[in-house]
Amino acid sequence: MDLNNAIIIKFGSIMIIKFWGVRGSIPTPLLPVEYENKIREILSLASAVDISDNNKVEAFISDLPSYLKTTYGGNTSCVTISSDQVSIILDAGSGLRLLGSDIENGKYTNITGDEYHMFLSHLHWDHINGLPFFIPLHKNNSKINFYSAHENCEDVLSEQQKQEFFPVSLESRPVDIEFHQLTEENEIKLKDLKIQTKKLGHPNDSYAFKITDSNNKSIVYSTDGEYDHTSKMDTYIAFYKDSEILIFDWQYSPEDIGTKKGFGHSSYKIGIDIAVSSQVKKIALFHHNHDYNDKVIDQNFENAKKYLRDKYPESKLEIILANENSDINI
Ligand SMILES: [Zn+2]
Ligand SMILES: [Zn+2]
């Protein structure tokens, strides 16, 4: 075969999103009583099932409502996005601890090497509280690049590890740390990814990130944002426009959000309206309210799907519920 004349076909590359923490505000482990109640409910539904038949058991499990089959997870915000060439970490909530462990144990191989790129939407506790427990922070050869639009990022991360709060200071760690200042005007290029930044309405500001690969496919991570439906909506719609997936803060149900003005969060209605206007392909509902258990989250998810069907019957938008430890290929 004449290699000079060989035709090289480049297949479209993919980006892999993995959710390590999907809760808002504070880690929310499943309570023992909630676990027990799930067992009780499953057993009551299983009374007519022949449990000696494996196939029937599998079919029964597959038909169970999601809130009984799974738990959506209790760790706070942490998401990874991996392209062919590089991985980035979005937020350092308590889910970051699991990511660090999986990297250390060789269970997560999409991040290789000793250099990490961590983008922080903002510095509220639920978005940074996993950092002290991130194993690479404690490694000699590691380098962590922090990217933040908050000018005091270094001070806040250092403060979090003052001795009153944590026994080991950030400065005493052997890891090499570099801080990169983000602005809305400048974009960051990391190998085959481009990352842009957009300010959201949130106490002390939060920032959305738009991650675009070499095929011009975009993922938007937009958490901790409140929208006031002023003329600024056009700028959000322009930023989210045509993305493959919008990861969106749906902290409050439409019933609860009325009393939470100024708290800096959104609902599925706001998310779906924006996603449809922006013509994104998928919306992943994210930053689940710590006061909502799996059953309430499931019900709100059903309500979200109904809202989409009723209000936008022609829309092809797909709604996903972000689930801890799940991944999505884009
Ligand atoms: Zn948050
Ligand atoms: Zn916040």
Side-chain angles (χ1 to χ4, degrees), residues 292-303:
Y292 297 167
N293 64 22
D294 289 325
K295 192 168 186 174
V296 173
I297 290 172
D298 240 13
Q299 186 56 58
N300 287 340
F301 183 45
E302 291 308 314
N303 294 344

Side-chain angles (χ1 to χ4, degrees), residues 150-203:
H150 290 79
E151 288 178 2
N152 59 345
C153 179
E154 185 170 0
D155 293 342
V156 172
L157 296 185
S158 173
E159 187 83 6
Q160 178 177 234
Q161 290 188 223
K162 272 177 78 175
Q163 226 172 9
E164 293 89 329
F165 306 120
F166 195 75
V168 183
S169 73
L170 190 62
E171 293 74 20
S172 70
R173 296 295 76 213
V175 64
D176 183 13
I177 289 176
E178 189 173 345
F179 287 88
H180 304 263
Q181 182 67 45
L182 298 177
T183 67
E184 288 185 289
E185 288 73 37
N186 294 333
E187 59 189 41
I188 300 282
K189 286 212 172 74
L190 287 172
K191 302 277 181 67
D192 58 344
L193 295 182
K194 175 178 84 179
I195 299 103
Q196 295 162 286
T197 304
K198 169 98 186 137
K199 183 153 83 171
L200 299 169
H202 195 65

Side-chain angles (χ1 to χ4, degrees), residues 106-160:
K107 282 195 203 155
Y108 192 66
T109 53
N110 279 327
I111 297 184
T112 53
D114 296 316
E115 186 165 11
Y116 303 88
H117 300 283
M118 200 174 289
F119 287 74
L120 300 176
S121 63
H122 63 310
L123 305 170
H124 281 163
W125 202 16
D126 53 322
H127 297 257
I128 61 170
N129 60 5
L131 184 64
F133 302 91
F134 186 50
I135 292 173
L137 188 73
H138 305 274
K139 295 245 159 179
N140 269 321
N141 299 326
S142 296
K143 176 171 183 186
I144 304 181
N145 295 283
F146 289 102
Y147 302 83
S148 167
H150 290 79
E151 288 178 2
N152 59 345
C153 179
E154 185 170 0
D155 293 342
V156 172
L157 296 185
S158 173
E159 187 83 6
Q160 178 177 234

Side-chain angles (χ1 to χ4, degrees), residues 23-25 77 121-122 124 126-127 202 223-224 251 265 287:
R23 279 279 164 184
S25 305
S77 300
S121 63
H122 63 310
H124 281 163
D126 53 322
H127 297 257
H202 195 65
T223 193
D224 296 54
Q251 169 116 344
H265 296 286
H287 203 272

